[in-house]
Amino acid sequence: MTSVIKGLIVDDELSGRENLKILIESYCTEIKLLVQHHLQLKQSV
Amino acid sequence: MIGHLSPDVVFLDVNMPVLDGFDFLESVDSSKFKIVFVTAHEEHAIKAIKAKAVDYLLKPIDIKELQQTVKRLADHFKNNDNVITSVQNDKVILPASYGFTAINAEEIIRLEAEDCYTHIFTVNEKKITVSKTLKEIEEKVSDRLFFRVHKSHLINLRHIKDYSKLDGGCITMSDGVKIQVSRRKGSEFTEKYKEFIMKQ
């Protein structure tokens, strides 16, 4: 079974996103983080 | 944006200036993914549970807690995958983070591989992404209808609109998308398609 969970981090602060991204990529092989180009929370999500 | 990415799980911060995490959930269809709240404030816990969060991570994040959360999620999705992916009476039943979805095999135009995932394109312009390899799905679906023309493409023979032998072979599907046929599959494809047409 090769299933990997697709994860997305939603955080308005880049530092928050980056910190969690590093932890997940370093310690959680079951998740592949999706690319999030940018998140404009003032606009439609 | 969320709909386009179709995540299985969203790690969601609570305190954000314009939309907080809970407002964010109201603005999207949150039934299609699992939610893990990530916040520095413990007082949001009850609200998070009511928002059907599967877990709650406090900042600064404890690595062991994060790993336990991820393991629970992985077990959940693995169990769903193993139980319900199947093909019954030409219905393709596919796992989703919120449960499962059933589609008629006839309605699938093509399937496209991307790493460990497969994107399924249907007649109503719907794109479904599942955490299965194309090979795993190919083994489950009917070889009467589907044929692997390329390492990244499995197509529904019923949805072929046009085939050109030029440039090594190119198929136009009913949704207008052009699919390259791999060189080694060219003659096998034409034989398979003849057989398919004869049986119609």
Side-chain angles (χ1 to χ4, degrees):
Chain A
M1 187 66 224
T2 54
S3 296
V4 177
I5 304 166
K6 290 185 293 178
L8 182 68
I9 300 169
V10 175
D11 190 323
D12 66 310
E13 289 181 19
L14 182 62
S15 58
R17 276 207 296 279
E18 284 299 308
N19 183 34
L20 185 54
K21 180 174 179 280
I22 291 166
L23 288 175
I24 288 174
E25 289 180 344
S26 302
Y27 297 100
C28 306
T29 54
E30 302 95 330
I31 286 192
K32 176 189 174 186
L33 287 174
L34 297 165
V35 176
Q36 184 180 276
H37 299 292
H38 60 89
L39 181 63
Q40 297 285 348
L41 288 173
K42 289 180 184 174
Q43 297 173 4
S44 170
V45 288
Chain B
M1 180 189 136
I2 289 273
H4 173 66
L5 293 171
S6 58
D8 299 312
V9 57
V10 171
F11 294 89
L12 182 59
D13 190 16
V14 175
N15 285 329
M16 295 184 286
V18 180
L19 278 179
D20 72 17
F22 301 107
D23 294 333
F24 173 86
L25 284 181
E26 285 179 13
S27 70
V28 297
D29 182 2
S30 60
S31 65
K32 298 198 169 180
F33 51 81
K34 300 290 179 192
I35 308 147
V36 175
F37 277 106
V38 184
T39 180
H41 305 279
E42 204 164 355
E43 64 268 23
H44 293 305
I46 292 173
K47 204 173 172 187
I49 291 164
K50 284 184 179 172
K52 297 181 182 171
V54 293
D55 218 329
Y56 187 89
L57 292 169
L58 274 178
K59 293 178 183 175
I61 292 167
D62 181 278
I63 292 165
K64 282 189 178 170
E65 281 187 18
L66 174 64
Q67 286 178 314
Q68 284 170 359
T69 297
V70 170
K71 187 177 183 314
R72 275 198 293 275
L73 285 162
D75 288 345
H76 168 81
F77 286 109
K78 192 175 176 184
N79 289 339
N80 271 1
D81 268 359
N82 289 340
V83 172
I84 60 177
T85 297
S86 62
V87 180
Q88 297 290 332
N89 301 323
D90 281 341
K91 282 271 187 191
V92 180
I93 302 163
L94 299 162
S97 55
Y98 53 88
F100 69 88
T101 182
I103 44 181
N104 290 322
E106 301 272 346
E107 292 176 1
I108 296 173
I109 298 172
R110 62 190 182 88
L111 303 95
E112 185 173 338
E114 184 187 351
D115 299 329
C116 299
Y117 308 107
T118 300
H119 304 296
I120 300 167
F121 298 87
T122 69
V123 288
N124 51 7
E125 296 184 358
K126 199 172 164 188
K127 177 182 165 187
I128 301 164
T129 301
V130 293
S131 54
K132 290 261 178 199
T133 62
L134 188 58
K135 185 172 186 299
E136 286 174 294
I137 294 182
E138 184 186 8
E139 287 167 358
K140 300 266 186 182
V141 296
S142 163
D143 62 359
R144 179 180 61 82
L145 265 186
F146 294 91
F147 184 73
R148 185 87 169 256
V149 292
H150 186 277
K151 66 175 182 178
S152 300
H153 297 285
L154 180 67
I155 63 164
N156 186 336
L157 298 169
R158 196 175 291 285
H159 284 280
I160 291 174
K161 192 176 166 188
D162 183 50
Y163 172 63
S164 166
K165 286 181 182 175
L166 301 175
D167 300 325
C170 183
I171 298 165
T172 305
M173 302 303 293
S174 60
D175 59 356
V177 171
K178 292 184 184 302
I179 306 287
Q180 193 70 39
V181 180
S182 73
R183 289 189 185 281
R184 65 183 185 87
K185 290 275 191 170
S187 56
E188 192 184 344
F189 162 69
T190 49
E191 283 305 310
K192 176 78 182 178
Y193 192 61
K194 277 180 200 165
E195 187 186 317
F196 171 76
I197 293 297
M198 294 290 282
K199 288 180 180 173
Q200 297 303 298

